[in-house]
Amino acid sequence: EKIFGVQIAGGDVAMMSKAAQFIDENVDCDFVDINCGCPLDEVHRRGAGSRLMAKAGHLEGIVRCMSGVLKTKALTLKMRTAHMEDNRLKDFNGRYAHNLVPKLEGWGVSALVLHGRTARQRYTKLADWDYIKECSGRRKCPTPFIGCGDAMNWEEVEQHCATHGVDSVMVGRGALIKPWLFTEIKEKRHWDISASERLDLIRDFTRYGLEHWGADPRGVETTRRFLLEWLSFHCRYVPVGLLEVQEAKINWRPRPYVGRSDLETKLASTNSKDWVEITEMMLGKVPDGFSFVPKHKSNAYQAEGAASAATQAKPD
């Protein structure tokens, strides 16, 4: 990677400042990013994520203190259009990120990222790029402004940069569905990647996981779970050669289809049992009692032994 950053989430001014100072002095990276966009309730209970957007005074303290202790690294911030819509605000359906943009610039943020949804929306409905453009126009300084939401094709990235007032586009789920998206953006082309090439990417992912977490049983299963989470997104990719329309959209949910090879068909499966079988090609059989529930949807896998045990343990 040419540029590497560290994102941290927290709701305590002192803790966030200490974390920023530690990163500044001990971590080899280019920037520190404040997570002001996470929509999870567990994070909100700690006063972090998008919850910070609704506490402007607290957010100001965090940004000012962190920017003050960072001597060698830039401070950036990623947020949503709002934590929850404020019914007291008549403009923009209660969203208020546009009011925070110039304030954040004054408090010391070096770049801003805006995800075009509220926390309440999570990832439902399409991102509002018109509102992202509105927020970009509220800048008082030439602060780099990055838009985020639903980008999965190089044409979309080009269009957003040309028409929505952003300097760049952040890619999230699109990279989980097709990790080669960055090559497509760079080369401005659609890559009809083969199933065998996709399997090579899965091999690389597995190797990186084992190198990072270790090849012992614990490292293998940690790698397997991260691989399964990725496959739960990757299965949504529809090969370019099978599309009737080249520019696929991230919210499309195509019907099950038969690929151009058995492997391509298996990679397209939304059945978590097939995902587990793909991991077994790389990491061996799953242990007895193994189960898997994707974090983003209720599509689970449970080994037969575990299912039988759960049935036996179920009270009458």
Side-chain angles (χ1 to χ4, degrees):
E1 298 290 343
K2 295 180 180 179
I3 299 176
F4 184 79
V6 174
Q7 185 186 72
I8 58 176
D12 182 77
V13 176
M15 180 194 70
M16 292 289 278
S17 299
K18 290 178 180 178
Q21 184 175 3
F22 177 85
I23 294 171
D24 192 60
E25 296 174 353
N26 298 281
V27 179
D28 181 17
C29 65
D30 300 287
F31 65 93
V32 179
D33 186 73
I34 300 173
N35 182 333
C36 200
C38 181
L40 300 180
D41 292 337
E42 182 179 350
V43 176
H44 296 165
R45 284 193 289 270
R46 294 178 170 85
S50 64
R51 182 76 179 86
L52 280 174
M53 294 185 66
K55 302 161 60 179
H58 203 65
L59 177 59
E60 178 181 2
I62 289 176
V63 173
R64 287 190 182 278
C65 289
M66 288 182 66
S67 63
V69 299
L70 289 172
K71 306 300 182 184
T72 63
K73 296 169 177 60
L75 177 66
T76 65
L77 181 142
K78 182 176 185 250
M79 62 180 174
R80 286 182 173 245
T81 57
H83 173 56
M84 301 292 176
E85 297 86 344
D86 190 339
N87 294 327
R88 298 170 299 177
L89 303 176
K90 296 181 179 180
D91 296 332
F92 307 111
N93 297 318
R95 295 171 294 180
Y96 47 84
H98 60 283
N99 292 326
L100 287 173
V101 168
K103 294 178 181 178
L104 288 165
E105 288 181 309
W107 297 340
V109 166
S110 299
L112 284 165
V113 182
L114 180 62
H115 182 157
R117 297 181 179 89
T118 66
R120 189 194 303 274
Q121 289 177 298
R122 297 276 177 113
Y123 296 96
T124 60
K125 299 184 179 180
L126 293 176
D128 189 342
W129 279 89
D130 289 333
Y131 183 68
I132 291 176
K133 181 178 180 180
E134 174 67 33
C135 293
S136 174
R138 298 300 180 102
R139 289 177 291 173
K140 303 297 183 183
C141 308
T143 305
F145 195 85
I146 302 159
C148 176
D150 305 331
M152 203 173 78
N153 297 284
W154 69 266
E155 295 99 330
E156 292 173 318
V157 173
E158 293 276 307
Q159 179 187 13
H160 292 322
C161 290
T163 63
H164 291 117
V166 296
D167 300 294
S168 186
V169 173
M170 176 175 283
V171 177
R173 290 174 299 156
L176 293 173
I177 296 170
K178 53 181 211 182
W180 54 92
L181 173 57
F182 303 102
T183 298
E184 294 186 342
I185 293 172
K186 182 179 179 180
E187 300 179 2
K188 298 184 180 181
R189 68 180 177 95
H190 292 285
W191 182 0
D192 189 9
I193 188 170
S194 68
S196 60
E197 288 174 311
R198 292 165 65 187
L199 191 64
D200 287 340
L201 291 177
I202 294 173
R203 287 196 184 96
D204 289 341
F205 184 101
T206 303
R207 176 167 54 83
Y208 297 148
L210 295 176
E211 289 175 354
H212 182 71
W213 286 297
D216 61 327
R218 183 175 180 179
V220 169
E221 293 316 305
T222 301
T223 300
R224 189 190 306 276
R225 290 190 179 277
F226 274 86
L227 178 55
L228 283 167
E229 289 289 352
W230 173 36
L231 291 174
S232 71
F233 280 94
H234 187 55
C235 66
R236 290 164 53 183
Y237 171 69
V238 180
V240 171
L242 300 180
L243 287 174
E244 294 181 2
V245 179
Q246 282 293 325
E247 194 176 331
K249 302 297 182 182
I250 202 168
N251 61 321
W252 287 1
R253 295 294 183 272
R255 294 179 180 179
Y257 62 90
V258 176
R260 295 166 292 188
S261 67
D262 290 343
L263 178 58
E264 192 168 75
T265 302
K266 196 173 193 67
L267 289 171
S269 173
T270 56
N271 187 335
S272 57
K273 183 178 180 181
D274 288 321
W275 308 338
V276 171
E277 290 178 358
I278 292 171
T279 71
E280 289 179 330
M281 296 167 61
M282 306 293 163
L283 296 165
K285 286 288 184 180
V286 297
D288 293 337
F290 179 84
S291 62
F292 170 68
V293 179
K295 289 190 172 82
H296 69 289
K297 62 179 179 179
S298 56
N299 187 354
Y301 169 88
Q302 191 173 49
E304 291 182 4
S308 176
T311 301
Q312 294 174 11
K314 185 176 179 180
D316 294 334

